[in-house]
Amino acid sequence: MPNPPFYFGLLKKMKKNNKALPVKSSVKASAKENQQKKTTALLKRQFKKNPVRIHSSGAVFAAQPEIKLAKFYTGIDVRQPHQHQATELPERYHENKIVLLVRDPWWLFSYWEVKSETVEEIKGRFKERFNGAKLILRAYDVSYIVFNGKNANYSFDIEVNSDLKNWYIDVGRPGSSWCVDIGFKLVDGTFIMIARSNTVATPSDAPSIVTDEEWMIPDDLFARLYGMGFGFGPNSPVGRDWRKYLKAFITSPGVFSVSSPQKGRAQKQKDFWLIANTELIVYGATRPDAKVKIFGKPVKLQPDGTFSLRFALSDGTHEIPIEAKPADDSDRRTITPIVSQKTH
Amino acid sequence: MEKGYFSLILHGHLPFVRHPEHENFLEESWFYEAITETYVPLISVFEKLAEEKIHFRVTMTLSPTLLSMFLDPLLQDRYVKHIHRLIELANKEVERTRFDGPFNNLARMYLANFTRARDVFLRYGKNLVTPFKQLQEQGYLEIISCGATHGFFPLLGNQTAIRAQVKVAVDHYKSIFGRAPVGFWLPECAYTPDCDQVLKENGVKYFFLDAHGVLHASPRPKYGTFAPIYCRSGVAAFGRDLESSKQVWSSVEGYPGDYLYREFYRDVGFDLDFEYVKPYIHPDGIRVNTGMKYYRITGLSNHKEPYDEHLAREKAADHAGNFLFNRHRQVEYLYDLLGKKPIIVSPYDAELYGHWWFEGPQWLDFLIRKIHYDQDTIRMVTPFEYLSENPKNQVATPSMSSWGYKGYNEVWLQGTNDWIYRHLHKATERMNELANQYGKTNVNGVTERSLNQALRELLLAQSSDWAFIIGTGTHVSYAVNRTKDHLLRFNRIYEDVKSNRIDEHWLKEIEHKDNIFPYIDYRVYQS
């Protein structure tokens, strides 16, 4: 069961309690608001084309993507080997369908498919009346009602291009229920529905107004519990109104945290750089059955009697004692290179 | 007498990555690195504590996909090869760095770590489920389950899909641990009001929510996140404490960013001479991480100082002390404010410990020891233990939420990955159709196998990891391919079964490739 919408009954309750709780303005949106919605939806479309990465600071949620991505970090971003290209998924499933998903308290996502036969059929049915018809999404606020197609609390239209297949809908109403139709709107205003979506409920972006009588919690006390640890930046899960509201209450309940003093994690930097290291390669050869020791430690010979070792060099003087003995220990040869390095 | 409870949850999960078709598959290293850097170190810490009879209670998810990989003979053998290669590299590094004191110490440290990883792995007959199971039976760990393939519940499309994720996971858990899981980790902590009823049906007693999932519950929760709430179904929901989360998670304020700690992004796979390191990177000559990382974070610039194990260890001890100090202040404050003992619920990704935060397992070791020896203000409990002691809690309906960036579904539903859902939902609908059509009749063995394989493919396509990776914009192609491959395999089975033209040879091939959940029953999709 979806939660009852936030704004129903809230006004009443607020008046009664005379508390300064935030209120979402009105249930019926004006034509102007409707226009704004359209504009926002258009902006959103732009945003989708040119996604902007919003970098956050401080919010607890911000840390996780990098850390979680570390699970999948192998050091390379683009891989070549064994990369097969998966075949494409079907373009369409040949059905009239529209589906609604919740993105967050303020936004829904909708995807749809309209059969071309259906479009042709509608064209044929309405003939000239179809001229200038527009494909639209009609979103209905169906909070707290049994929706019969006509009794929505409020609805608005979004014009969609026929080549679009999905849309993010800015409903801006936490704690409300929605469904959406796709269809054609004729010039005379007639709406021809093609498909109706499932119903979804946006989550609340603030504490519930329902407080059990017996368990009544004073706002300031709750605010102290509520505010603990939340960031109130742009990434906060808390809606704007409550963020403002809380700031009045929260003086400093969460300041007992004293973490480490550092100022944050360095990301990989891409500026100019130079690294230079030196390594020393010691190589040589002896009889394949001989025993060779370097620093007194046995070295494995290649089948042809050669050997090769490498050492990272640091500044200073280093002696490298090399000793070889035949299998029967009847002889012994030593060579000790002395290498020194100085770095400026 | 304690003034509050502390519940630590480690969420262990990786998507199912297993490619028998290639000898050396890059993404399998996610799993191998997790074993070496996280799971073996955690097992070692826990075993040592148990051996010394130190009280601790840790709750741990072992996701069904992770468990399946732990139990898979092919991956087990490949890990042995992998760790032997690393031991060989570490041995060479010990030689190579002979003149270079700090680096020589580091090479020796890695040699010891890799050798220990191999020894622990072999000691348990290559099966790391065994030690976890033992620790659970000894009462130290409470192992909980998770969505079968970590599907993101709010976007799966319907309750049947959620039910299958839960039921398959719970059955899988039972087959391994011999009893039902008491707790459940909602993948990505993502709650939708459809899901607690399903948990109830499967005998689950509790799950976790991000803080606002509880704080925005209705009616308003009297104790905030510091006591669980009961959903109408009777399943308890514990809310994440943000204060303690932030101290560990945050990249700005969190412990893991300390300059003395090991730098994650510098690896010898990239730093050393190509010819020398070639046998230990990708066979096609592409440099990749090896796991040997020689530097500490040092500071914000590219200049890095060599890592010092001892300094880092001391710092981890400091940080454990700081964490405990803060929990004491928090609990004392809350105890007075609430008039009852609060529970501080701190969930973390298991791989934060060891893989990302190299010193994490040490920190945990210090923390548990300090809690055991130095204080009695807080007590470690598992959520089930808490519920047994505090059975009476407020009833409230949680709010849809997740622990992803911005707190809701956007990470898994944005411009780059939203195309997935059209196809996932279609497959869900078709799976439902198949189950209803064939579930009540007797079908032949090959059809039965096809239907079960169809469900495996659907589940594998549902992993939230693919949408997550695609959403972050790096390493995208593998995740895109996995999503498409499983969906395409599903679609083909659907068409083949419907038209009664099953290609048995091909079926066998994908059963071999995607061999997760051997005892799966597609009838879970019946409605």
Side-chain angles (χ1 to χ4, degrees):
Chain A
M1 266 296 286
N3 291 338
F6 193 61
Y7 41 90
F8 283 89
L10 176 59
L11 286 163
K12 235 189 295 168
K13 186 156 182 154
M14 304 271 314
K15 271 183 202 140
K16 204 170 78 189
N17 297 351
N18 202 17
K19 278 188 220 158
L21 271 168
V23 191
K24 266 278 161 193
S25 53
S26 65
V27 177
K28 281 247 167 74
S30 66
K32 201 174 158 199
E33 246 186 277
N34 214 336
Q35 189 55 46
Q36 271 175 348
K37 295 246 184 275
K38 265 193 202 168
T39 322
T40 328
L42 278 169
L43 281 172
K44 183 61 198 169
R45 197 170 141 212
Q46 290 298 320
F47 180 81
K48 264 186 76 186
K49 276 186 192 153
N50 308 301
V52 180
R53 250 181 216 213
I54 299 161
H55 286 285
S56 60
S57 61
V60 65
F61 306 100
Q64 292 181 29
E66 188 189 7
I67 297 174
K68 290 183 71 173
L69 198 57
K71 265 164 81 161
F72 310 119
Y73 181 75
T74 55
I76 52 172
D77 289 345
V78 187
R79 58 189 300 264
Q80 303 299 334
H82 309 314
Q83 184 83 339
H84 80 286
Q85 198 57 50
T87 325
E88 276 311 309
L89 291 165
E91 276 275 314
R92 54 182 61 85
Y93 291 101
H94 306 287
E95 60 186 345
N96 291 325
K97 184 182 181 181
I98 180 159
V99 172
L100 207 48
L101 294 170
V102 176
R103 196 191 82 172
D104 55 38
W106 311 279
W107 290 83
L108 305 176
F109 171 73
S110 176
Y111 69 82
W112 61 83
E113 185 184 331
V114 173
K115 285 196 285 193
S116 47
E117 297 92 304
T118 307
V119 177
E120 290 313 313
E121 188 266 316
I122 293 171
K123 271 186 191 163
R125 181 143 51 101
F126 288 90
K127 303 205 170 68
E128 304 82 60
R129 273 182 76 198
F130 191 80
N131 291 341
K134 294 199 161 110
L135 189 63
I136 60 157
L137 300 181
R138 181 162 287 178
Y140 303 99
D141 178 337
V142 296
S143 306
Y144 244 12
I145 57 164
V146 180
F147 185 49
N148 61 13
K150 295 191 180 81
N151 60 340
N153 300 313
Y154 156 68
S155 75
F156 62 91
D157 295 349
I158 298 165
E159 221 181 283
V160 288
N161 257 324
S162 54
D163 56 337
L164 281 173
K165 293 160 86 179
N166 57 61
W167 195 264
Y168 286 86
I169 305 170
D170 175 8
V171 294
R173 286 195 184 175
S176 59
S177 300
W178 295 85
C179 96
V180 58
D181 285 349
I182 185 154
F184 281 107
K185 193 177 178 181
L186 304 185
V187 179
D188 64 14
T190 312
F191 178 62
I192 305 136
M193 185 185 91
I194 297 170
R196 174 162 295 163
S197 78
N198 53 318
T199 300
V200 298
T202 56
S204 170
D205 69 336
S208 170
I209 54 150
V210 185
T211 51
D212 193 291
E213 283 293 303
E214 202 182 335
W215 291 58
M216 188 69 189
I217 318 153
D219 273 342
D220 60 338
L221 189 65
F222 185 75
R224 273 196 276 171
L225 292 174
Y226 185 70
M228 244 166 241
F230 265 142
F232 293 113
N235 312 316
S236 169
V238 181
R240 215 178 316 121
D241 296 333
W242 257 78
R243 268 183 259 163
K244 240 186 270 164
Y245 177 64
L246 280 169
K247 279 186 184 144
F249 276 120
I250 296 175
T251 42
S252 56
V255 290
F256 39 74
S257 160
V258 187
S259 346
S260 15
Q262 77 286 341
K263 291 283 179 288
R265 187 79 196 242
Q267 285 285 340
K268 280 184 105 174
Q269 291 180 358
K270 288 212 174 116
D271 53 358
F272 184 68
W273 48 272
L274 170 68
I275 299 170
N277 293 305
T278 51
E279 287 192 342
L280 175 71
I281 295 176
V282 177
Y283 64 97
T286 177
R287 256 188 19 212
D289 63 344
K291 291 174 285 185
V292 174
K293 286 182 173 178
I294 298 184
F295 296 106
K297 227 183 124 185
V299 173
K300 203 171 168 247
L301 296 182
Q302 296 298 316
D304 64 353
T306 59
F307 58 90
S308 171
L309 277 102
R310 54 201 292 160
F311 302 99
L313 267 190
S314 56
D315 283 2
T317 302
H318 312 288
E319 288 190 18
I320 301 144
I322 306 167
E323 182 203 78
K325 281 182 185 173
D328 61 2
D329 285 339
S330 61
D331 198 354
R332 179 171 177 271
R333 300 285 164 85
T334 61
I335 299 174
T336 303
I338 300 172
V339 181
S340 69
Q341 175 178 274
K342 213 170 143 192
T343 307
H344 295 283
Chain B
M1 194 55 186
E2 77 269 359
K3 284 189 165 173
Y5 305 96
F6 171 59
S7 192
L8 181 84
I9 297 96
L10 299 176
H11 171 55
H13 162 70
L14 272 173
F16 191 69
V17 177
R18 177 183 172 277
H19 292 274
E21 70 274 23
H22 294 293
E23 183 56 35
N24 204 303
F25 201 88
L26 183 64
E27 281 76 10
E28 281 180 9
S29 64
W30 298 343
F31 177 57
Y32 306 145
E33 283 179 17
I35 292 178
T36 312
E37 295 170 2
T38 294
Y39 294 106
V40 164
L42 287 177
I43 290 167
S44 304
V45 165
F46 293 152
E47 284 188 331
K48 190 89 197 317
L49 291 166
E51 196 185 300
E52 294 176 34
K53 305 246 177 310
I54 291 171
H55 168 94
F56 70 97
R57 293 276 190 273
V58 171
T59 305
M60 199 165 173
T61 324
L62 293 175
S63 77
T65 45
L66 181 63
L67 283 170
S68 300
M69 290 192 283
F70 277 147
L71 293 168
D72 186 84
L74 175 79
L75 293 177
Q76 289 173 347
D77 289 341
R78 284 186 175 181
Y79 178 70
V80 175
K81 269 189 213 157
H82 170 91
I83 194 69
H84 274 133
R85 254 202 317 273
L86 278 182
I87 290 170
E88 187 183 294
L89 172 63
N91 267 313
K92 281 195 185 170
E93 280 297 278
V94 168
E95 280 307 311
R96 190 186 65 83
T97 55
R98 169 181 292 275
F99 301 128
D100 211 335
F103 290 100
N104 192 246
N105 288 339
L106 282 162
R108 287 172 196 280
M109 177 188 85
Y110 283 110
L111 179 60
N113 287 357
F114 297 155
T115 310
R116 180 187 63 177
R118 181 196 60 194
D119 293 348
V120 170
F121 196 70
L122 294 179
R123 177 151 54 89
Y124 287 108
K126 308 184 210 169
N127 177 359
L128 288 189
V129 176
T130 308
F132 285 116
K133 196 173 164 182
Q134 283 172 5
L135 285 159
Q136 164 150 283
E137 280 157 9
Q138 291 161 357
Y140 295 108
L141 292 189
E142 187 162 295
I143 298 171
I144 62 173
S145 192
C146 178
T149 56
H150 218 258
F152 191 85
F153 288 5
L155 300 175
L156 286 182
N158 62 38
Q159 206 183 29
T160 309
I162 296 174
R163 183 168 288 116
Q165 281 274 341
V166 174
K167 178 83 168 41
V168 170
V170 168
D171 287 349
H172 187 247
Y173 183 103
K174 283 182 190 164
S175 74
I176 293 168
F177 297 103
R179 61 168 179 79
V182 288
F184 199 90
W185 178 266
L186 300 177
E188 314 296 358
C189 235
Y191 175 82
T192 165
D194 286 343
C195 70
D196 56 83
Q197 183 54 42
V198 177
L199 296 178
K200 175 78 181 174
E201 290 163 16
N202 284 281
V204 171
K205 309 286 182 219
Y206 68 85
F207 63 94
F208 301 96
L209 288 168
D210 203 345
H212 53 297
V214 169
L215 293 171
H216 295 173
S218 183
R220 204 181 273 191
K222 180 176 180 184
Y223 298 115
T225 56
F226 304 108
I229 53 173
Y230 285 123
C231 304
R232 308 249 159 237
S233 58
V235 181
F238 287 82
R240 170 159 83 136
D241 169 55
L242 291 172
E243 184 69 34
S244 57
S245 279
K246 199 156 38 172
Q247 281 186 305
V248 180
W249 271 121
S250 169
S251 58
V252 182
E253 303 149 63
Y255 301 134
D258 193 282
Y259 291 167
L260 285 176
Y261 286 153
R262 193 190 73 169
E263 169 63 54
F264 177 78
Y265 291 112
R266 282 289 291 274
D267 191 289
V268 301
F270 289 84
D271 283 352
L272 294 185
D273 175 54
F274 183 72
E275 288 303 322
Y276 171 76
V277 84
K278 202 174 160 189
Y280 309 101
I281 56 175
H282 197 275
D284 294 359
I286 300 162
R287 286 180 181 271
V288 292
N289 290 335
T290 61
M292 293 188 78
K293 301 170 199 286
Y294 284 161
Y295 296 93
R296 57 185 189 225
I297 295 170
T298 316
L300 292 171
S301 78
N302 268 326
H303 172 74
K304 300 291 174 199
E305 294 287 328
Y307 180 69
D308 185 323
E309 202 185 349
H310 302 290
L311 291 178
R313 192 179 161 77
E314 275 171 38
K315 185 53 90 175
D318 282 356
H319 281 159
N322 176 269
F323 186 86
L324 186 59
F325 172 82
N326 281 310
R327 295 295 75 70
H328 284 170
R329 297 295 81 75
Q330 188 180 15
V331 159
E332 280 158 2
Y333 175 84
L334 290 166
Y335 183 77
D336 292 340
L337 187 72
L338 306 176
K340 74 173 230 165
K341 289 188 260 181
I343 178 167
I344 309 294
V345 177
S346 306
Y348 307 100
D349 250 359
E351 282 194 42
L352 173 68
Y353 293 84
H355 179 62
W356 169 259
W357 181 18
F358 184 61
E359 299 76 9
Q362 282 176 18
W363 175 86
L364 191 60
D365 188 35
F366 285 124
L367 178 66
I368 289 171
R369 285 168 193 274
K370 281 177 202 284
I371 290 174
H372 180 76
Y373 286 117
D374 300 350
Q375 58 92 46
D376 50 12
T377 309
I378 62 167
R379 178 154 68 91
M380 276 188 118
V381 292
T382 64
F384 190 62
E385 214 175 341
Y386 177 93
L387 289 172
S388 311
E389 290 177 27
N390 306 271
K392 197 174 164 186
N393 294 290
Q394 193 180 348
V395 176
T397 303
S399 180
M400 178 190 269
S401 51
S402 87
W403 77 345
Y405 181 61
K406 293 188 185 174
Y408 299 97
N409 305 340
E410 190 178 345
V411 168
W412 299 271
L413 182 66
Q414 49 178 309
T416 47
N417 56 20
D418 55 23
W419 56 270
I420 295 174
Y421 298 100
R422 173 193 305 274
H423 304 288
L424 270 188
H425 294 169
K426 190 68 201 172
T428 301
E429 196 185 302
R430 287 176 166 177
M431 190 69 234
N432 198 218
E433 179 196 330
L434 291 175
N436 286 340
Q437 188 179 341
Y438 297 95
K440 290 185 184 88
T441 56
N442 272 330
V443 294
N444 64 40
V446 185
T447 310
E448 176 96 12
R449 274 169 51 203
S450 298
L451 293 164
N452 287 335
Q453 192 59 29
L455 179 52
R456 285 186 197 106
E457 301 299 338
L458 172 57
L459 289 171
L460 288 170
Q462 284 172 336
S463 290
S464 69
D465 308 271
W466 312 142
F468 174 80
I469 294 171
I470 296 168
T472 57
T474 48
H475 223 85
V476 171
S477 57
Y478 180 72
V480 170
N481 280 346
R482 283 294 300 271
T483 305
K484 290 184 179 172
D485 283 344
H486 293 302
L487 284 167
L488 288 165
R489 284 172 201 160
F490 175 89
N491 285 347
R492 175 155 172 204
I493 298 174
Y494 173 80
E495 304 290 349
D496 287 2
V497 170
K498 294 288 279 188
S499 58
N500 207 5
R501 270 194 318 224
I502 298 166
D503 176 350
E504 221 184 316
H505 178 74
W506 176 76
L507 177 65
K508 215 167 165 180
E509 190 186 308
I510 59 167
E511 279 176 335
H512 172 64
K513 267 186 192 166
D514 300 328
N515 70 343
I516 194 167
F517 306 132
Y519 305 112
I520 204 166
D521 184 354
Y522 72 93
R523 290 175 190 84
V524 68
Y525 255 87
Q526 247 174 21
S527 56

